[in-house]
Structures are given as C-alpha cells and as structure tokens.
C-alpha cells in the first residue's frame, strides 16, 4: 500500500497554528496582548524550545510579507491630503527622532569602546522602532486614529524611508566596497524616482477603473486577487530599485485611499495580513537565541534597558517640542522605545560587509527582540501609573491611559434616500462614511462630489473596515428587505453599541423591522405622502390650522395601527383608517393590500 502524500509545509503549518492557538489567548487573558503571545509561541517551538524548527530566518523572510500587507492596509486609511497634513510629523518629528536617537546611541557605543563604524551601524539601527509591533499595539488599543497614534505613525513612516540611506551608509563603511561612480549613483536615483512615479500614476489613473470593472463582475475572489497583486506587485517594484517593500506597499495603498473600494480591499486583505503578521511575530520569537543571552546576560540586560530608556526619553522630549501634550508624548514614548525589524536587515548587511562581528550582531539582535517583548509591558505600566494618579486626583492632562472615542455615522445604501439622509448630517458637519454595492451609483455619487465606498451590507468585515465598530449610528438605506434583515441581525450581534436606523420599503417591512428591534424605522414614502396630502388640502381651501390637526390625527392613527398590527397581525387596526367618502363605503369591508401602503 502506497504511503499517503503529505503536502509541503503541512506539518510546519500545523505546528504554527497550534502554537498560536494556545499562546495568544493565554497572553491576552493575562493582559500582555497578542504580540507577546506570538513571541512566546515562537520561542516555544523554536530551536531553544521544543526545537520543531532550526532556521527561523528563512521563515522570517517569508513572514515579512505580513509587514508589507500591514503597510498597504495602513496606506488605504490615509488619503493623500491627510498624509500631506502629516508632513510635519513625518519629516520633522520623524527625522529628528532618527537623527537624535542615532547620534546619542552611536556616541554611547563609541564611548564604551566600540569602533566608530560599528557604533554608527548599531546606533542608527537601534534608533529604528518596529513598525509591525507598534502598529499592532495601536490597532489592538484602537488608538491608531488618535492624535498620538497618528504622530507615532509619522515617526514610523520616516523610519521606513530612512532604511535606504542607512543601507547606503553600510556600503560606504564597508572595507569590501569602494564608492560607487557618479553614473551608477545617478542611475539608481533615476530608477527610484521612476518606480515611485510609476506607482503613483498607476494608483491615480489606472487602479480605480480596473477595480470598478472587477466589481461589476461580482466575483469576490477576483477582487481579492487583484488587491494582493497591487500590494505585492508595488512592494516588489520598490524592492527592485532598492527601496523598502513595506514602503512600496504603503505608497500603493495611499494611492487607493481615495478609491471607492478602499474598505472592501481592506476587509479582503485583513485575514492574510493578520495571519502573516502572526507568523512574523512567531518567527521573531524563534530567532531569539537563548544561548547568546545566557552567555552575555549582563550586556543584553543593560542594553535592553538603556535602549528603551534612552529612546523613550528622546521621543518624549521631541514629541513635547513638536507640540504634543505630556500625556500624548508619554504614550508615544512607551509605544516606540523598542528596536525594529529593519534593524535585522541593517545588521545583516553590516555583518555581510565585515563591519559587525558575528557575536556583536547576535547580541544586538537579542537586544532588539527583547525590547520588542517588553514594549507591551511598558504600555501596561503606563496604564497602571495613570490609574494610580487618577485615583490620587491628578488630572488626565498630566498623564492618561489609552482610551479614545470615535463617534461617527455609517450610511449603507446611497441611492436617492441615503443621499438625502447624508445631506441632513453633513450640513451640520457630522462625520459620515457611505457604502454602496453598485459601481454605477458610486461613480454617479462621486461625480457629484460625495465620498462613497464600495461595500456589501451583509459583510461584517467590510462594515468593520468602514468604521462600524466605532460608529455611533448605522443608517441602513438599502432597498432589499431580506438583505436589510440579515444586516440588522449581524450589526446588532457584532456592534451592539451602535444605534440602527432603517429605511422601510413598505408597511410590512416596517412591522418586520419593529420586531427585529431597530432603534428607528420610517417608510420611504410616508413623509412624502403626508406632504402631498397637506398640499392637496391647502389647494382645496382648508385653513392651515385644520390641515395641521388632520396631519396630527393621521400620524397618531397610523402609529396606533402599527402597534395593533404587531400584536394582531397584518389586518389588525383597520378601523383606524379614515373611510368617509361615499365611494369608499362599499369597499370599506375589503381587506387592504398592505404592500401598497406607505
């Protein structure tokens, strides 16, 4: 009998999933967060745990695709105009953090006896924080959109851009390589500018029409394939010209941020991003060399504490200098004190260029990984101190935890009804997000100047990407009764804090929505019918006070009849209808056709 065929990486996949399923919930249960759980899972199955895997670096190389998709999703949330508003945080605060932290750490390493070339590489490598860790922590806390979260992200974005000149510095410091010719340098600059311009132009003029065409086919898997192709393709192009893959994915995401498909793309990519990020953190945990730490435990311990303390103080001081209040500056400081994944790239390049000795490289790598591990604990420490100070009567202006409110309105369905609802809200400056699943309607609304996005009312991942979990009110203005029923049930279960307001197509639909327990419903023709009747009565010569009495009576009777129908069925409460004219008396005993009632 032939041996059963086992697919490649099947056993490895089972081990990764098992470790994550066990470690992550336990870590979250004790308040350490999912990042620490993934790190512990990697440590458990790595070379210094159960030894299921011996080479963590190969897995880490593949898992970096999670960082690529993470930056793509972040880019989707940042429109170019909003990104431009962040220029002071990116190029001012971000550049200051890298330069000041790099110089201070370099000077410290030089003073303790390291050669200048080693001190430069190590100092500026340690100055880079972890984009993956910091953003994951911010997202778990729901703080990425908060002012301090945006400022922290600006720092991280500049750090991602700075990897290119830092790698060039390694090449210049290397004893194996001489300086490049001016022609080669000019060619590299032209290649970089051309690649960036290509991504920008494609995102601006090509991607939206392509996704609009794909959306009309209603093939969700094709939309997913296209989203992955855009993210990974732009990342690969940037890597080809020497830039960061993550930076390329971020740039393509920004170009799609104004597209009507941003929320659907984010929801489609999110599962892949989450799994690959988990794999990345597991691989980092596997790369932690416990024998190096044991042999150099004092150096590593002092290095970790010095790194986090020095970077934390510098980031706090710079954030205060650039206008953050003390609370936000502290939160940025405890979010970004760690070393980052790009330090691995820089240290590996320096080791390959004979700048960093192997032992120094291993010690620096251990310091970076342990600083990542301790970052969530630093955040918990700030929360603890904030709680104690608040109990002691210290106001939140001095220090506060990580809580933030994001009130908004989500409108699902942007036809004639939803468009008028949005007019009432936006006229008062209320923030709204609008979704619709018809590309033709989206294109029409965008030509009128509305910001509207492609999305399905029954997909919770899309609703969440559009802000459903933080929305104060969700307005369902769609025409399909069954789709609305399904959406109401899911929204009530997943977003219990959001009020649900619904457009009812007719009286029977209104009764159904009442039974589902929505917060408010209105029949789409009810108010227009009353206005029509008021105008007709006015034309027939009735005074306005009498018309107002009639309208109030009709409204009251209609509400009473709805309550009677909820208890007695469709035909209950028919006696509440006005039937006064002779032509209607003969028909007064006939059962009304409910679907024709407003």
């Amino acid at each position: 009998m032939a041996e059963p065929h086992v697919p490649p990486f099947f056993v490895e996949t089972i081990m990764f999933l098992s470790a994550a399923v066990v470690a992550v919930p336990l870590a979250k249960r004790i308040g350490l967060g999912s990042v620490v759980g993934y790190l512990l899972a990697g440590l458990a199955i790595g070379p210094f745990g159960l030894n299921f895997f011996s080479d963590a670096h190969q897995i880490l190389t593949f898992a970096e695709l999670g960082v690529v998709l993470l930056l793509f999703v972040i880019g989707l949330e940042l429109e170019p105009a909003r990104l431009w508003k962040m220029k002071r945080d990116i190029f001012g605060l971000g550049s200051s953090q890298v330069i000041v932290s790099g110089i201070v750490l370099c000077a410290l390493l030089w003073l303790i006896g390291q050669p200048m070339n080693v001190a430069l590489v190590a100092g500026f490598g340690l100055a880079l924080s972890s984009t993956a860790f910091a953003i994951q922590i911010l997202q778990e806390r729901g703080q990425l959109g908060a002012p301090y979260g945006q400022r922290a992200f600006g720092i991280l974005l500049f750090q991602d851009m700075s990897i290119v000149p830092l790698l060039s510095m390694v090449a210049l410091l290397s004893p194996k390589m001489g300086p490049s010719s001016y022609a080669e340098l000019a060619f590299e600059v032209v290649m970089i500018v051309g690649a960036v311009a290509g991504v920008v132009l494609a995102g601006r003029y090509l991607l939206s029409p392509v996704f609009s065409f794909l959306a009309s086919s209603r093939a969700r898997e094709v939309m997913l394939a296209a989203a992955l192709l855009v993210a990974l393709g732009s990342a690969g192009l940037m890597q080809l010209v020497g830039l960061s893959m993550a930076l390329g994915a971020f740039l393509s995401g920004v170009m799609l941020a104004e597209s009507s498909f941003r929320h659907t793309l984010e929801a489609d990519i999110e599962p892949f991003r989450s799994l690959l990020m988990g794999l990345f953190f597991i691989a980092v945990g596997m790369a932690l060399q416990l024998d190096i730490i044991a042999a150099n435990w004092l150096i590593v311990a002092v290095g970790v504490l010095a790194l986090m303390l020095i970077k934390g103080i510098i980031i706090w001081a710079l954030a205060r200098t650039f206008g953050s209040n003390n609370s936000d500056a502290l939160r940025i400081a405890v979010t970004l004190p760690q070393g980052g994944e790009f330090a691995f790239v820089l240290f590996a390049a320096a080791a390959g260029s004979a700048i960093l000795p192997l032992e120094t490289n291993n010690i620096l790598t251990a310091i970076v990984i342990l600083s990542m591990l301790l970052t969530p604990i630093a955040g918990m420490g700030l929360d603890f101190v904030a709680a104690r100070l608040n109990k002691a009567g210290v106001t939140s202006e001095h220090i506060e935890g990580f809580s933030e409110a994001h009130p908004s309105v989500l409108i699902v369905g942007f036809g004639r009804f939803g468009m008028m609802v949005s007019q009432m809200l936006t006229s008062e400056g209320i923030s709204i997000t609008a979704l619709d699943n018809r590309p033709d309607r989206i294109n029409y609304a965008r030509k009128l100047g509305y910001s509207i996005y492609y999305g399905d009312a029954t997909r919770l991942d899309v609703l969440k990407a559009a802000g459903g979990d933080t929305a104060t009110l969700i307005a369902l203005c769609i025409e399909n009764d069954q789709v609305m029923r399904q959406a109401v049930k899911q929204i009530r279960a997943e977003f219990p804090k959001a009020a649900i307001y619904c457009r009812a197509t007719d009286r029977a639909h209104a009764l159904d929505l009442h039974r589902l327990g929505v917060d408010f419903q209105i029949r789409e023709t009810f108010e227009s019918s009353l206005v029509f009747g008021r105008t007709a009565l006015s034309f027939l010569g009735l005074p306005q006070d009498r018309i107002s009495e009639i309208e109030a009576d009709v409204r009251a009777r209609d509400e009473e009849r709805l309550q009677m129908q909820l208890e007695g069925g469709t035909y209950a409460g028919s006696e509440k209808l006005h039937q006064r004219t002779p032509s209607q008396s003969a028909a007064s005993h006939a059962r009304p056709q409910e679907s024709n009632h407003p």
Side-chain angles (χ1 to χ4, degrees), residues 192-534:
I192 290 173
V193 172
V196 172
V199 172
V200 170
L201 291 174
R204 183 72 175 175
Y205 299 106
L206 182 62
L207 292 182
S208 286
V210 169
F211 278 109
S212 182
F213 171 75
L214 295 176
S216 62
S217 68
R218 299 298 178 93
R220 179 182 173 185
E221 67 279 2
V222 177
M223 291 278 289
L224 172 58
L228 290 172
L229 178 62
V230 169
L232 299 181
S234 58
L237 179 62
M238 292 297 112
Q239 186 187 43
L240 189 64
V241 299
L243 292 175
S244 161
M245 290 180 67
L247 186 61
F250 172 78
L251 186 59
S252 64
V254 170
M255 291 301 101
L256 281 169
E258 292 183 324
S259 164
S260 57
F261 302 96
R262 57 181 283 197
H263 296 304
T264 297
L265 294 177
E266 181 182 349
D268 284 338
I269 283 183
E270 181 62 26
F272 294 90
R273 196 277 303 174
S274 299
L275 285 173
L276 286 172
M277 285 300 297
L279 180 61
F280 172 81
F281 296 136
I282 290 176
V284 169
M286 291 168 57
L288 187 61
Q289 297 178 302
L290 296 184
D291 56 342
I292 299 294
I293 296 175
N296 303 274
W297 67 269
L298 184 59
I299 296 175
V300 173
V302 172
V304 171
L305 294 177
L307 171 65
M308 298 185 71
L309 185 61
I310 291 171
K311 280 184 69 175
I313 292 173
I314 291 173
I315 291 171
W316 172 83
L318 289 174
R320 292 285 286 162
T321 302
F322 277 80
S324 292
N325 59 39
N326 187 61
S327 174
D328 280 357
L330 283 172
R331 288 188 286 183
I332 298 171
V334 300
T335 303
L336 304 180
Q338 75 289 122
E341 57 273 2
F342 288 121
F344 301 147
V345 178
L346 197 66
F347 295 159
S353 299
I355 297 174
L356 280 183
L358 180 60
E359 183 179 3
T360 303
N361 183 23
N362 290 335
I363 291 175
L364 289 172
T365 300
I367 290 173
V368 170
I369 295 175
L370 286 176
S371 68
M372 291 178 177
L373 184 62
L374 291 176
T375 297
I377 299 175
M380 293 173 61
L382 180 64
D383 285 339
F384 176 77
V385 172
R388 295 295 296 269
L389 290 178
N390 286 335
K391 286 183 178 179
V394 179
T395 64
S396 60
E397 293 180 3
H398 299 284
I399 181 173
E400 59 186 28
F402 293 85
S403 60
E404 191 81 21
H406 302 279
S408 61
V409 175
L410 176 60
I411 297 178
V412 185
F414 209 72
R416 61 188 187 276
F417 192 95
M419 191 178 296
M420 291 306 300
V421 170
S422 73
Q423 285 288 290
M424 296 291 291
L425 298 173
T426 55
S427 65
E428 188 59 25
I430 295 173
S431 174
I432 71 164
T433 300
L435 297 178
D436 203 287
N437 66 347
R438 286 176 50 179
D440 57 335
R441 184 180 287 172
I442 293 171
N443 292 333
Y444 173 73
R446 283 187 164 254
K447 288 178 181 178
L448 295 178
Y450 292 100
S451 294
I452 176 174
Y453 304 98
Y454 180 84
D456 188 337
T458 61
R459 286 187 57 183
L460 281 173
D461 53 355
V462 174
L463 295 177
K464 185 174 182 179
D469 53 347
T470 58
T472 305
L473 186 150
I474 299 178
L476 297 176
C477 304
I478 53 183
E479 295 95 343
N480 190 305
D481 298 3
Q482 296 304 316
V483 170
M484 185 178 290
R485 165 181 270 270
Q486 182 179 351
V488 168
K489 290 181 177 180
Q490 292 181 338
I491 291 170
R492 183 61 77 204
E494 297 295 327
F495 312 134
K497 295 182 179 179
I500 304 176
Y501 279 36
C502 295
R503 161 202 187 175
T505 54
D506 55 29
R507 194 174 194 86
H509 188 206
L511 290 169
D512 186 45
L513 292 174
H514 262 294
R515 296 186 182 101
L516 289 173
V518 301
D519 297 280
F520 175 78
Q521 60 76 30
I522 187 169
R523 286 157 281 161
E524 59 185 358
T525 59
F526 182 68
E527 293 294 332
S528 59
S529 299
L530 292 175
V531 172
F532 192 104
R534 284 182 62 99

Side-chain angles (χ1 to χ4, degrees), residues 158-220:
F158 184 85
Q159 290 180 358
D160 289 348
M161 291 187 286
S162 67
I163 189 63
V164 178
L166 290 178
L167 287 173
S168 300
M169 178 187 71
V170 170
L172 293 174
L173 293 173
S174 173
K176 295 182 179 181
M177 300 177 63
S180 300
S181 67
Y182 290 109
E184 291 175 344
L185 182 60
F187 178 74
E188 289 180 3
V189 172
V190 170
M191 288 288 290
I192 290 173
V193 172
V196 172
V199 172
V200 170
L201 291 174
R204 183 72 175 175
Y205 299 106
L206 182 62
L207 292 182
S208 286
V210 169
F211 278 109
S212 182
F213 171 75
L214 295 176
S216 62
S217 68
R218 299 298 178 93
R220 179 182 173 185

